Amino acid sequence: MAIYIQSSKSAGVYFHDFFDIDDPLSFKFQNTTLAIRLTELLTEYYKPTSQSPSDLYFSSRFFPKDLDLLDHYFTLATSSSLVLLHPDGEPALAITTSGTDELEVHYIEKDSFFDFTDASSFFQFLVKSSTPRSFNRIELNCQTLLKRSSRTSDLSKEFKFLNSLPRELSKYYVKASSFTQKSQSASYVMPIVSSPSMAHLCANGYFSTKARAHSFFTCLKNYHSKTVVKNASPSFDSFSSFLICKNIDRFNLLKTSPHHSYIEATFSEFTNTTLDFLLEDLNAIIQQNSKYLNCLQTGFQHGDLCFSNILYNANDSTLKLIDPSGERTPFIYDLAKLSQSIFSNYDLLACNRFQLSRLDSLSDFEKVFDSLDNMSALRTTFLNFLQEYHFNLPLIRIIEASLFFSMMPLHLDNPDRVVLQGLTSFNILRSLKEQT
């Protein structure tokens, strides 16, 4: 079963290739952002059956704006071949009955599609594919994005950070301008970057080879070399106290949620312990390692370097970073954020690509996630990167466990996700104890 996607010019970028739905890793475009998004939609939504047609054809000049419309096409194609055409610039379905040469053309309203030959339509597609958090909002305005947040102080700190970067480091970040603050929200403007996030690339199997993983980490090394500031001190008295206080404050916030009882009971069902005990255990381990945590060199670090905040252009191996925290933290904190994505499937959690109902016991935790087994190359290359720069992996994983714990009240839009964050923190600490 194959889906063929072809075009001449789409938002000024040429691409032409095909995708075999039985092998998502073979789906390659020069326009990586569009390719990843199409792959994600098709593999997630379309489940071929024995009654499915042998081939589905799409013109990628036009793409449906919603999955219900896509489902309609697949329903029409159940017993026939389907071609999405654009004769005279108008999108149309051409349905051919199996075993015959008969062709039936159905014209479709143009407003139902993104037209990728039009730049503004293409950018709308990119914005639609992003999933901002509940307290953030992304608005499209021509070829710029306006980021708005109800967390006014956090956004102000983020804006100041982006505009205080050294010149050699600023090329790795989006440019922020036109900061505005009102009583209920703040906002700033940034240009659209048409590269996909690392989260999208990983979810679609791009980093299944060592060469691709190596290219990304070579880029990350270049970035890291620009971040170190000699004799810099953090913006808080001690890094260990920062982590401990953050865990306590966030847990107190979690307790005020109407979902707290469910989260606590479900967590205890799998662990035979409580979140209170996990907090005590976590903060005790952080305190035990405070000597090492508090002597780490700081600099202009991102502070939230998870894969969804890294936009990576695989064609020329360049990256752009978005949504920094604005804190002056050690680089190991960003490595813990990377570890969340590489070892603990954070990005699959964030975009709800999991099912808690699959979990029978913590010994088989991976089966919760909707993922291809394509992270081994990234994990190996990440470990080599840590070894080359003499970073302490157990220390990184302690911080990672703290991150999963402290982010729980920020994800209350999905209580099952919060449960899995707590279980991940518990699992990391359990694994570290078993290794000692």
Side-chain angles (χ1 to χ4, degrees):
M1 186 327 178
I3 295 179
Y4 295 86
I5 304 176
Q6 57 186 348
S7 178
S8 53
K9 289 279 185 178
S10 290
V13 183
Y14 172 82
F15 56 92
H16 180 192
D17 215 323
F18 73 93
F19 164 50
D20 184 344
I21 204 165
D22 295 323
D23 180 15
L25 304 187
S26 71
F27 189 32
K28 304 168 187 175
F29 278 148
Q30 290 182 34
N31 187 327
T32 314
T33 302
L34 182 58
I36 291 299
R37 191 66 184 130
L38 290 173
T39 310
E40 188 175 64
L41 285 171
L42 294 170
T43 55
E44 177 180 328
Y45 200 73
Y46 181 53
K47 308 297 182 187
T49 67
S50 59
Q51 301 298 317
S52 299
S54 58
D55 297 286
L56 298 179
Y57 294 85
F58 282 82
S59 157
S60 52
R61 171 176 175 177
F62 295 100
F63 194 76
K65 287 186 176 179
D66 62 74
L67 290 178
D68 288 337
L69 192 62
L70 192 62
D71 182 49
H72 175 64
Y73 300 155
F74 291 144
T75 301
L76 287 173
T78 298
S79 59
S80 65
S81 294
L82 177 152
V83 187
L84 181 59
L85 306 170
H86 48 90
D88 303 320
E90 296 297 325
L93 286 177
I95 301 176
T96 58
T97 305
S98 299
T100 73
D101 294 328
E102 296 179 9
L103 184 69
E104 183 179 358
V105 178
H106 299 261
Y107 287 91
I108 305 166
E109 291 184 14
K110 197 169 184 179
D111 288 345
S112 300
F113 291 84
F114 293 107
D115 182 353
F116 293 149
T117 59
D118 175 68
S120 63
S121 182
F122 181 70
F123 290 138
Q124 285 177 12
F125 177 81
L126 298 180
V127 174
K128 186 178 175 67
S129 71
S130 64
T131 53
R133 299 274 283 283
S134 58
F135 46 80
N136 289 335
R137 201 166 117 202
I138 300 294
E139 301 172 12
L140 180 73
N141 181 16
C142 193
Q143 295 190 14
T144 61
L145 292 174
L146 184 141
K147 180 178 178 181
R148 189 185 304 279
S149 178
S150 59
R151 298 186 168 191
T152 56
S153 61
D154 288 348
L155 201 71
S156 174
K157 190 188 298 181
E158 183 178 314
F159 180 79
K160 289 175 182 176
F161 175 86
L162 289 170
N163 283 278
S164 64
L165 292 165
R167 179 180 298 178
E168 66 272 15
L169 196 56
S170 61
K171 69 177 183 178
Y172 292 99
Y173 286 82
V174 293
K175 296 182 189 231
S177 61
S178 304
F179 181 81
T180 303
Q181 184 166 341
K182 299 178 181 178
S183 59
Q184 299 296 322
S185 67
S187 65
Y188 67 77
V189 174
M190 57 183 169
I192 290 175
V193 180
S194 59
S195 300
S197 71
M198 284 289 295
H200 277 143
L201 288 167
C202 285
N204 291 279
Y206 178 79
F207 290 101
S208 58
T209 67
K210 290 182 179 179
R212 290 175 175 175
H214 178 75
S215 293
F216 168 70
F217 276 100
T218 298
C219 190
L220 191 68
K221 287 178 190 178
N222 294 333
Y223 163 72
H224 172 53
S225 68
K226 309 291 193 303
T227 65
V228 177
V229 178
K230 293 182 179 179
N231 302 318
S233 59
S235 56
F236 31 76
D237 294 334
S238 78
F239 186 45
S240 61
S241 295
F242 166 76
L243 295 174
I244 290 170
C245 291
K246 186 177 181 181
N247 289 337
I248 295 171
D249 291 344
R250 292 285 178 79
F251 188 49
N252 287 335
L253 182 60
L254 179 64
K255 286 180 176 179
T256 66
S257 166
H259 302 297
H260 175 249
S261 296
Y262 167 78
I263 293 165
E264 184 75 63
T266 311
F267 174 83
S268 298
E269 178 185 341
F270 289 105
T271 63
N272 294 317
T273 187
T274 65
L275 286 170
D276 285 276
F277 179 81
L278 176 59
L279 173 63
E280 291 177 15
D281 198 22
L282 183 58
N283 283 350
I285 292 175
I286 292 172
Q287 188 60 47
Q288 291 166 14
N289 289 273
S290 59
K291 174 183 176 182
Y292 308 102
L293 289 166
N294 295 336
C295 67
L296 296 169
Q297 191 175 40
T298 64
F300 287 98
Q301 309 299 346
H302 183 281
D304 193 12
L305 203 64
C306 58
F307 276 177
S308 56
N309 288 338
I310 303 173
L311 307 181
Y312 181 65
N313 187 328
N315 296 325
D316 58 8
S317 297
T318 57
L319 58 82
K320 284 286 185 184
L321 306 180
I322 59 173
D323 297 347
S325 71
E327 295 281 5
R328 190 67 68 84
T329 52
F331 187 58
I332 197 172
Y333 192 69
D334 276 351
L335 292 176
K337 289 281 185 176
L338 287 175
S339 187
Q340 282 187 296
S341 293
I342 294 173
F343 289 122
S344 301
N345 297 309
Y346 167 73
D347 301 287
L348 294 177
L349 269 178
C351 64
N352 295 323
R353 294 180 66 166
F354 66 88
Q355 291 184 41
L356 184 58
S357 59
R358 295 177 188 158
L359 187 62
D360 299 319
S361 70
L362 294 183
S363 60
D364 198 12
F365 200 64
E366 286 285 320
K367 73 177 185 180
V368 169
F369 300 99
D370 304 328
S371 66
L372 299 169
D373 184 19
N374 55 35
M375 296 296 288
S376 59
L378 267 178
R379 288 170 179 168
T380 299
T381 310
F382 182 50
L383 290 172
N384 292 339
F385 173 82
L386 299 181
Q387 186 175 14
E388 179 181 347
Y389 286 90
H390 306 289
F391 286 111
N392 185 318
L393 180 59
L395 204 60
I396 290 171
R397 301 231 69 192
I398 290 170
I399 300 170
E400 181 189 348
S402 176
L403 287 169
F404 272 111
F405 186 90
S406 64
M407 68 171 49
M408 287 193 293
L410 306 183
H411 290 258
L412 288 166
D413 56 301
N414 187 333
D416 282 352
R417 188 194 305 141
V418 179
V419 171
L420 283 173
Q421 288 167 339
L423 292 176
T424 303
S425 180
F426 178 87
N427 258 355
I428 293 170
L429 291 189
R430 186 177 67 168
S431 175
L432 290 171
K433 290 176 182 177
E434 290 173 353
Q435 295 171 19
T436 57

